[in-house]
C-alpha cells in the first residue's frame, strides 16, 4: 500500500471547538460522541431506537457511559441505503429531538446533509451539525449553522447522496482528503461559520476501499495540521470487516485498536456506537500517551 507523504507538523494545540452550548479544548481529553440512529435500516442498530422513548433511553445510557455528545441521525448512510427526502428524514428525527435536548445534559448533534433538517434541528435546540457530505449536497446548510452559532463537522466523501460508497481512485488519499476539507472549510467560513466552530472528519469508510481508509487514517497528522480538531467515526465500519473478516457484531476489538491509533496520530473527537468501551480505551491510552491530560479510567470526566 502506498504510504502518504510524511508530514512533520503536529496537531496545533491549544485547540478549541466551539458549539452552541459550550467549548471543547485541547490539550485535554479526547471527546466521545455517541451514535443514536433513528432509522429502520442502519447497518448496526437499525430500528432499535426509532421510537422517542427508546431514543431517550439509549441517549441516557450513553450519557451514563461517558459520552460527551449524542449524534442523532435519521438518514442511513450504509452501503446500499436509499437517500430520503428531507421531510421523511425529519419525520424520523423530529419527534425525538425535543425530549433529547430537554432531558440529556449533553450537546445534541444532528447527522444530516439537508439544510431543512439542520435548520429544524437547530431550532429544536441541537448544538452541532454533522454533515457527511462536507457541504457537498446543500451548501446552504452552513447558513443555518452560522445563524445559530452551532458547531459544524465537515466530512470527506464524494458522490453524496446516491454514490457516496462508489469506488474512487486517489493519487494520494491523505493529500486529497486534506485538500478537499481545506476547501470545504473555506466554503463554510465564506458562509459565516467561524473557523473555531469547525471540525474535520476524513470520512473513514466513505468513498474509500478498506486500504484507502487505512491511508486516510495514516493521514490524520496532515489533516490535523489544518488547525482544526480531527473527528473520526470508526466503530463497526465495513473496512474493519474487510481487514479482519469479522461480522458487524465482532468488530469491537478492531475498532478500539483503530481508535487508539487515531488518537496517537492526532484525532481528538471520536464518534462511536460503543461509548463505554471507547471511553475506557481512550482514557487508558491517554494515561500512557499524555499523562498530564488524561482522566484515569473510572474517574469522573
Amino acid at each position: 500500500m502506498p504510504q502518504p507523504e510524511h508530514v512533520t507538523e503536529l496537531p496545533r494545540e491549544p485547540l478549541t471547538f466551539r458549539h452552541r452550548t459550550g467549548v471543547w479544548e485541547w490539550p485535554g481529553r479526547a471527546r466521545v460522541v455517541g451514535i443514536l440512529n433513528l432509522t429502520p435500516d442502519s447497518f448496526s442498530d437499525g430500528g432499535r431506537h426509532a421510537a422517542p422513548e427508546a431514543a431517550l433511553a439509549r441517549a441516557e445510557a450513553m450519557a451514563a457511559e461517558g459520552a460527551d455528545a449524542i449524534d442523532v441521525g435519521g438518514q442511513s448512510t450504509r452501503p446500499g441505503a436509499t437517500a430520503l427526502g428531507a421531510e421523511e428524514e425529519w419525520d424520523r428525527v423530529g419527534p425525538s429531538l425535543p425530549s433529547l435536548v430537554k432531558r440529556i445534559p449533553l450537546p445534541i448533534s444532528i447527522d444530516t446533509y439537508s439544510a431543512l433538517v439542520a435548520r429544524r434541528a437547530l431550532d429544536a435546540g441541537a448544538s452541532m451539525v454533522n454533515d457527511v457530505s462536507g457541504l457537498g449536497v446543500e451548501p446552504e446548510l452552513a447558513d443555518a449553522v452560522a445563524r445559530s452559532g452551532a458547531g459544524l463537522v465537515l466530512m470527506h466523501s464524494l458522490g453524496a447522496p446516491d454514490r457516496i460508497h462508489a469506488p474512487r481512485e486517489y493519487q494520494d488519499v491523505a493529500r486529497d482528503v486534506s485538500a478537499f476539507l481545506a476547501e470545504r472549510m473555506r466554503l463554510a467560513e465564506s458562509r459565516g461559520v467561524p473557523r473555531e466552530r469547525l471540525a474535520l472528519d476524513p470520512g473513514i469508510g466513505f468513498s474509500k476501499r478498506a486500504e484507502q481508509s487505512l491511508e486516510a487514517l495514516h493521514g490524520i497528522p496532515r489533516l490535523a495540521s489544518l488547525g482544526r480538531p480531527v473527528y473520526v467515526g470508526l466503530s463497526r465500519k465495513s473496512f474493519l470487516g474487510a481487514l479482519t473478516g469479522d461480522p458487524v457484531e465482532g468488530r469491537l476489538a478492531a475498532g478500539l485498536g483503530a481508535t487508539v491509533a487515531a488518537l496517537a496520530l492526532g484525532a481528538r473527537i471520536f464518534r462511536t456506537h460503543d461509548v463505554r468501551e471507547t471511553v475506557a480505551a481512550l482514557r487508558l491510552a491517554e494515561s500512557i500517551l499524555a499523562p498530564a491530560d488524561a482522566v484515569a479510567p473510572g474517574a469522573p470526566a
Side-chain angles (χ1 to χ4, degrees), residues 103-156:
R103 300 276 298 276
I104 302 300
L106 299 173
I108 301 300
S109 168
I110 182 69
D111 179 2
T112 188
Y113 46 70
S114 162
L116 183 148
V117 172
R119 184 173 64 252
R120 290 180 179 176
L122 293 167
D123 288 345
S127 294
M128 59 186 81
V129 177
N130 177 20
D131 181 357
V132 300
S133 79
L135 301 179
V137 175
E138 296 187 13
E140 58 270 29
L141 181 149
D143 303 340
V145 172
R147 285 192 298 268
S148 70
L152 176 60
V153 180
L154 299 172
M155 194 188 84
H156 174 272

